[in-house]
Amino acid sequence: MGHTSIDFAAPLALHVSTCARFAAVVHQRGSIGVVVDLSTGAVTMRLDRGSYHTEHCDFSIAFFRDAERTLLVHATAWNRLDLSDPATGARLSARERPPRGE
């Protein structure tokens, strides 16, 4: 991961889960962000989508409910979204890379 400090002078976006337990603060046209558990104040995730042309689009991120569970879909690269558990930070969308040349 690259730089991980939130610059509060930069344009930020705030996303709050519908259950009101989690909030994400991201640099709107930047690379990084954090997820905070509002019940404890703990940072549960550090987000980084890389730096490839971030000035051209907002940071893709959204909380949603899956039955009784709150999950997070978020950009992890210029062309990739991943699914994570905001309570633990565990990535739920692990992918295998195919061997080169295939």
Side-chain angles (χ1 to χ4, degrees):
M1 275 193 196
H3 189 258
T4 57
S5 296
I6 299 292
D7 177 2
F8 291 100
L12 300 174
L14 172 66
H15 303 269
V16 179
S17 63
T18 57
C19 67
R21 179 177 170 193
F22 302 102
V25 177
V26 296
H27 285 162
Q28 188 170 349
R29 293 282 174 112
S31 300
I32 63 166
V34 294
V35 176
V36 177
D37 184 330
L38 298 174
S39 68
T40 65
V43 172
T44 60
M45 295 180 67
R46 297 198 182 277
L47 306 170
D48 188 340
R49 68 172 178 160
S51 59
Y52 185 75
H53 292 298
T54 58
E55 70 277 7
H56 296 294
C57 62
D58 289 348
F59 197 118
S60 298
I61 185 167
F63 290 100
F64 68 97
R65 297 287 285 178
D66 179 27
E68 296 300 314
R69 189 176 182 189
T70 296
L71 297 174
L72 179 70
V73 62
H74 57 99
T76 54
W78 70 274
N79 63 348
R80 181 174 174 157
L81 294 173
D82 276 301
L83 182 64
S84 296
D85 180 342
T88 64
R91 189 169 295 171
L92 305 174
S93 55
R95 299 178 196 175
E96 292 183 26
R97 291 183 182 233
R100 286 188 165 273
E102 291 185 22

